[in-house]
Amino acid sequence: MSWLMSINPWATLVVAGLLEVLWASGLKTVSLQRPLASLGVLLALTGSMVLLWIATQRLPIGTAYAVWTGIGAVGAALVGMAVYQEPATAVRMVCILLIVAGIVGLKLFSGAPA
């Protein structure tokens, strides 16, 4: 398991978060009539969890989980607005910016390796 220590935990966490956006956004496509879309969602979910686990081997769990869910929340909200015509109000955009500020703050002040 020493190979885990050679992987950049922040890059791993970002990719895990992007895969979370993919599977969370893809939940609307899951159905028995669309097995390939459903399989894609399952693969993205699995990849996201595995990469989150790898990142938590070197980052504090609270920081890693908060950043992972933050990336997922922001990404899913943006996909919802762009793809599923969800409301893109100024208040929603301010809230998304606050989440992004929180993610950046956790990265800067976590005390975890860069």
Side-chain angles (χ1 to χ4, degrees), residues 85-103:
Q85 289 75 47
E86 294 174 2
T89 64
V91 172
R92 286 189 86 194
M93 297 310 288
V94 168
C95 291
I96 288 171
L97 288 174
L98 290 170
I99 295 169
V100 171
I103 293 168

Side-chain angles (χ1 to χ4, degrees), residues 24-70:
S25 301
L27 286 175
K28 284 190 171 260
T29 68
V30 171
S31 75
L32 293 175
Q33 288 74 36
R34 300 189 69 191
L36 289 179
S38 301
L39 179 61
V41 168
L42 183 61
L43 290 173
L45 172 62
T46 302
S48 181
M49 291 293 167
V50 168
L51 293 176
L52 175 62
W53 168 73
I54 291 170
T56 61
Q57 302 309 297
R58 303 224 355 247
L59 299 175
I61 187 68
T63 298
Y65 184 71
V67 169
W68 178 74
T69 56

